[in-house]
Amino acid sequence: MAIRNIRLDGDDVLRKECKAIDKMTPRLMTLIDDMYETMYEANGVGLAAPQVGILKRVVVIDIGDGEAYTLINPVIVEQEGEQEGEEGCLSLPGLQGTVIRPERVVCKALNEDMEEITVEGEGLLARAICHELDHLDGVLYKDRTLDGLYSVNPPSED
Ligand code: NI
């Protein structure tokens, strides 16, 4: 496994549409392992392949609920409710913004064995799923903020 370079806002690769994955390969398995390592090292709760420069439809999520999710070709098939909350992204370090997301989503995807899975997420998990899936379509949370971005640790004025 290896830590990969996280692409930052402004990099064109973050604005591209990712391609569906048709089969598991050793190369793809290595990518997924590296994505987990990169996400954990950066203290993130999710990472999408374009954030490490790979335009494939795969994301990893671990919000610390005891389960890690590898979602290949993920699609949100149900959503309900609304939540307003703070969001950040490893590709926009030091920044946050307020984004409205569904309170609950149901996501269908393939796992690492290319088996169909259904993940139901509420609260933070629903937010993470929506955020990571957006990356696969070249969308960043800053496109969805209610009142723009702000610094997590504002520099002192003096
Ligand atoms: Ni992100």
Side-chain angles (χ1 to χ4, degrees):
M1 297 212 291
I3 290 166
R4 302 208 184 189
N5 190 28
I6 297 178
R7 304 300 184 93
L8 299 180
D9 184 26
D11 190 321
D12 286 348
V13 80
L14 294 174
R15 293 307 197 169
K16 302 253 162 76
E17 185 92 8
C18 294
K19 291 200 172 68
I21 290 167
D22 55 8
K23 61 175 191 295
M24 181 52 62
T25 62
R27 194 183 174 88
L28 180 56
M29 201 58 240
T30 300
L31 169 67
I32 292 167
D33 287 344
D34 288 355
M35 284 171 64
Y36 275 110
E37 192 173 355
T38 304
M39 172 180 75
Y40 290 131
E41 201 260 347
N43 295 312
V45 297
L47 192 71
Q51 292 183 275
V52 292
I54 306 292
L55 292 171
K56 289 185 191 298
R57 302 190 81 81
V58 56
V59 309
V60 298
I61 293 173
D62 185 344
I63 60 159
D65 65 349
E67 207 161 343
Y69 304 95
T70 302
L71 304 176
I72 295 171
N73 301 340
V75 179
I76 291 172
V77 294
E78 258 183 71
Q79 62 178 67
E80 83 187 339
E82 216 177 73
Q83 57 170 319
E84 186 180 318
E86 305 314 306
E87 219 160 289
C89 179
L90 295 176
S91 294
L92 292 87
L95 298 171
Q96 274 190 353
T98 306
V99 183
I100 292 175
R101 299 286 190 184
E103 175 55 31
R104 174 182 167 271
V105 298
V106 177
C107 176
K108 284 193 186 293
L110 300 173
N111 66 13
E112 292 167 10
D113 298 317
M114 298 300 271
E115 298 162 342
E116 279 187 35
I117 55 167
T118 301
V119 177
E120 192 180 326
E122 284 183 34
L124 180 57
L125 182 56
R127 178 175 295 282
I129 290 170
C130 294
H131 177 114
E132 298 311 328
L133 267 60
D134 268 354
H135 275 297
L136 303 182
D137 294 320
V139 175
L140 298 176
Y141 82 93
K142 73 173 192 177
D143 307 336
R144 300 188 183 278
T145 57
L146 292 183
D147 44 16
L149 297 173
Y150 49 86
S151 179
V152 181
N153 295 305
S156 111
E157 299 277 64
D158 45 75

